Amino acid sequence: MTDANATCRPGILVISGPSGTGKTTLVNRLIAQSPVPLKKSVSATTRSPRAGEVDGDDYYFLSREEFLKRVENNEFLEYEEVHKTGQLYGTLKSHVDNAINNNCWSLLEVDVDGMKNITQIYPDAVTIFLLSPSQEVYEQRLRSRGTESEELITRRLQTAQRELTFADRYQYQVVNDQLDRAVQEICDILTQKSQLTSQSN
Ligand code: 5GP
């Protein structure tokens, strides 16, 4: 549950993990259960929406031209071409600023390169890498989604392998073996971190 009146200094929470680790479900649960006020930053992307995805909720789905116009206008905190597909993904400055100005933590779900960009700007950001219980479970989840072509699945598995080698660059690695347990583990991290930032105020 979020409590907009809770007193703590807001921070940045970065969550990464290969697609298919159950990130989206976990993030939604985390927003609902967070012990500190927490807002998800909605990124912009040039990729097409998947079935069920809503513009402005899941992403801002932009044409490449529109995305690049926003790059020129300096609207992104960071942006990257993810998965080598030529698709661009970027964190909008306005979303992060808005959360912090409202005394909320800002949750950024970005890839490994995004995490590096963000921690250069916000060295105090809390970084969490989400892991699948095993490579087999990960591949199963990816396939059962049924949204990607075989070629894209192969590319995502390769990206996942590469991303796994970066897991130890994050402050925390959380195994998404059981949703409730994983969400609780992240809530505990947030509680601890927000107490630390309050004490250092
Ligand atoms: P998907 O297409 O599965 O939604 O996301 C693909 C990847 O893009 C994920 O690893 C996700 O974390 C990453 N991503 C989403 N938004 C951003 C962003 O704003 N910046 C960066 N650098 N990566 C992002």
Side-chain angles (χ1 to χ4, degrees):
M1 211 172 319
T2 53
D3 175 5
N5 297 316
T7 49
C8 71
R9 209 171 86 189
I12 305 278
L13 173 65
V14 177
I15 298 191
S16 302
S19 37
T21 41
K23 254 182 312 179
T24 308
T25 312
L26 179 134
V27 162
N28 290 337
R29 280 285 288 280
L30 186 60
I31 298 277
Q33 280 180 231
S34 170
V36 298
L38 179 66
K39 274 193 178 178
K40 180 179 183 270
S41 159
V42 180
S43 294
T45 182
T46 58
R47 86 148 160 77
S48 309
R50 294 191 190 114
E53 285 185 329
V54 176
D55 187 43
D57 265 355
D58 297 287
Y59 282 106
Y60 293 102
F61 295 100
L62 305 179
S63 67
R64 193 174 180 85
E65 191 189 4
E66 222 174 314
F67 193 103
L68 293 175
K69 208 187 305 168
R70 288 178 186 236
V71 171
E72 244 175 59
N73 290 343
N74 203 21
E75 290 181 40
F76 291 108
L77 197 57
E78 61 80 39
Y79 71 97
E80 287 290 338
E81 181 196 314
V82 176
H83 297 311
K84 310 260 177 285
T85 55
Q87 303 299 349
L88 300 166
Y89 294 76
T91 307
L92 290 157
K93 282 183 188 171
S94 57
H95 265 247
V96 176
D97 289 348
N98 185 275
I100 291 178
N101 291 339
N102 283 295
N103 226 21
C104 290
W105 279 65
S106 182
L107 188 163
L108 310 184
E109 194 209 309
V110 297
D111 73 337
V112 170
D113 296 320
M115 180 279 283
K116 284 196 252 169
N117 298 336
I118 302 285
T119 49
Q120 272 171 15
I121 305 166
Y122 294 104
D124 292 338
V126 177
T127 59
I128 295 179
F129 195 90
L130 199 61
L131 295 158
S132 275
S134 71
Q135 183 70 5
E136 290 74 36
V137 172
Y138 169 58
E139 191 168 341
Q140 245 172 39
R141 282 185 187 165
L142 202 55
R143 288 187 189 284
S144 67
R145 224 163 44 176
T147 50
E148 271 100 343
S149 65
E150 195 56 34
E151 189 198 343
L152 204 53
I153 288 176
T154 306
R155 213 175 299 152
R156 285 196 181 234
L157 286 171
Q158 284 164 355
T159 306
Q161 281 298 342
R162 176 181 153 258
E163 286 193 311
L164 283 177
T165 65
F166 290 101
D168 61 0
R169 299 199 185 175
Y170 287 70
Q171 292 160 0
Y172 301 92
Q173 288 104 37
V174 172
V175 180
N176 193 11
D177 47 359
Q178 251 209 321
L179 185 62
D180 287 341
R181 197 210 56 76
V183 169
Q184 191 53 51
E185 189 177 341
I186 300 177
C187 286
D188 292 345
I189 292 169
L190 278 174
T191 301
Q192 191 200 9
K193 287 289 179 183
S194 66
Q195 282 165 355
L196 286 178
T197 48
S198 304
Q199 279 163 15
S200 65
N201 263 345

